[in-house]
Amino acid sequence: MKLKIFSPAKLNLFLSITGRRSDGYHELETLFQLLNVGDEILFEYEESKVITEKPKIELFFSKKTHHHKFTRNITLHPKEDNLIIKAADLLYEFAVERNLKRKFTDISILLDKKMPLGAGLGAGSSNAASTLIALNQIWQLYLPVDILAKIAVNLGADVPIFIINRSAFATGVGDVITPVDLNERWYLLIFPNKSIPTQALFQSNLLKRDYPKKTWHEWLHSPYFNVFTPVASKLFNEVQEAIDWLTNYSEPFMSGTGSTVFAIFEDHEQALNIQKKVPSMWWSIVAKGVNSNQLLY
């Protein structure tokens, strides 16, 4: 049997830090915009081979060869620190601990990687969420969305947004989610071939952590900004270079902790025309902002 799932990318249209908790986590306010572009993940399994022990998970992926070409070569992915494997393990442990009715089977997973990692697009988080959604169905756990989202937050603060599959305003550590309807506009995304370690930005002394809190209504009447942009552009020249280039054509923004910068367009053709001018050394794509995606197909 085969199950294919779309693993969408996201943008943070704004991102503010309003404080830091005693446990070290940061209080955020952000607007997640889902996109109609992302990775694809294929799950293969034998429905008749139900097992009682822990399932074997094999993960393969289409290997990226350089900044904007991906081969179709299937390469075994190292399992350590991989969110797909962690998601599968977490769901298995949840089901066993609660003695849920289930039909565990071994799974072979092929990740068709189209989005760059370390780019502020939520690629790894989306892959983890997609794995939870797919295995919830394959293993016949039938957990509701709210339970899957609670499991997902253990994998990362922005993983639940992909479980809920809605563009949303998020607060807390990114886990208090309010779905919102956004205008479906077009975005030009530029990845300047620099993966940024999130931890480096959160630990930076340059990071401002005390912006005043705003309601969603207040944000609707406020200019958008990303608290990480001045830090990322200071620490990584590639980000500043992309921002400087995009400034010639439109107002630039940065997504998440970077390094993807983007511009917003009402017109698809205008976004495509500017994409044609993007320096060939950078990865770029034009994507449509959506309020939700069809995931399983």
Side-chain angles (χ1 to χ4, degrees):
M1 298 283 291
K2 294 182 180 181
L3 178 68
K4 198 173 187 180
I5 189 167
F6 178 56
S7 183
K10 59 83 180 168
L11 291 174
N12 297 87
L13 297 189
F14 62 73
L15 178 51
S16 175
I17 295 179
T18 59
R20 194 171 190 176
R21 305 191 320 193
S22 58
D23 60 7
Y25 284 95
H26 291 74
E27 294 279 346
L28 308 174
E29 291 177 354
T30 190
L31 178 57
F32 287 111
Q33 168 70 78
L34 294 183
L35 301 175
N36 70 338
V37 297
D39 302 330
E40 293 179 346
I41 311 178
L42 179 65
F43 295 80
E44 294 185 309
Y45 60 101
E46 292 189 43
E47 194 173 31
S48 60
K49 288 192 175 181
V50 177
I51 59 177
T52 55
E53 67 271 16
K54 185 174 182 178
K56 184 170 97 174
I57 308 293
E58 291 186 307
L59 174 60
F60 305 86
F61 76 127
S62 299
K63 187 177 180 182
K64 180 181 177 183
T65 54
H66 61 83
H67 62 274
H68 59 176
K69 285 188 180 178
F70 293 79
T71 70
R72 298 292 301 184
N73 295 334
I74 298 174
T75 308
L76 186 62
H77 196 291
K79 292 187 177 183
E80 53 274 10
D81 294 326
N82 183 274
L83 278 177
I84 289 177
I85 298 298
K86 287 182 178 180
D89 287 345
L90 197 60
L91 189 60
Y92 167 79
E93 290 164 5
F94 183 90
V96 171
E97 287 173 3
R98 285 154 184 80
N99 198 27
L100 300 179
K101 291 183 81 174
R102 68 270 184 173
K103 291 188 177 180
F104 288 136
T105 58
D106 294 333
I107 307 286
S108 177
I109 304 173
L110 172 59
L111 171 61
D112 190 354
K113 175 54 70 177
K114 302 175 186 290
M115 296 292 107
L117 290 168
L121 300 178
S125 295
S126 182
N127 293 165
S130 297
T131 300
L132 292 177
I133 292 169
L135 295 185
N136 185 44
Q137 178 168 319
I138 293 170
W139 289 342
Q140 298 182 28
L141 301 175
Y142 304 124
L143 295 169
V145 168
D146 61 330
I147 298 299
L148 276 186
K150 288 179 181 178
I151 296 172
V153 77
N154 295 290
L155 296 163
D158 59 349
V159 181
I161 197 70
F162 297 106
I163 296 288
I164 295 169
N165 187 31
R166 287 277 299 170
S167 289
F169 175 58
T171 57
V173 295
D175 59 333
V176 182
I177 297 169
T178 304
V180 296
D181 289 323
L182 304 174
N183 293 332
E184 295 190 339
R185 298 180 292 185
W186 294 93
Y187 299 87
L188 169 59
L189 284 59
I190 299 174
F191 174 64
N193 305 320
K194 180 65 179 181
S195 295
I196 294 181
T198 297
Q199 192 175 18
L201 297 195
F202 271 106
Q203 292 178 346
S204 174
N205 292 329
L206 300 173
L207 184 63
K208 181 174 169 60
R209 298 177 171 87
D210 58 354
Y211 280 95
K213 292 186 177 182
K214 295 181 184 179
T215 64
W216 168 236
H217 179 75
E218 288 172 328
W219 271 110
L220 286 174
H221 300 89
S222 302
Y224 289 177
F225 70 92
N226 184 334
V227 65
F228 291 105
T229 302
V231 185
S233 59
K234 179 83 171 177
L235 297 179
F236 302 96
N237 293 334
E238 296 89 342
V239 174
Q240 188 60 55
E241 289 170 1
I243 289 173
D244 291 343
W245 184 89
L246 193 52
T247 300
N248 295 317
Y249 303 97
S250 184
E251 182 178 6
F253 298 91
M254 189 182 78
S255 182
T257 53
S259 60
T260 297
V261 299
F262 66 93
I264 306 169
F265 298 92
E266 302 295 335
D267 183 77
H268 186 203
E269 287 300 319
Q270 184 184 13
L272 289 173
N273 287 335
I274 295 177
Q275 185 196 19
K276 294 175 184 177
K277 302 175 183 179
V278 174
S280 60
M281 61 185 176
W282 293 338
W283 177 93
S284 68
I285 195 170
V286 171
K288 185 179 183 181
V290 297
N291 288 314
S292 64
N293 278 293
Q294 178 182 340
L295 299 180
L296 294 170
Y297 55 100

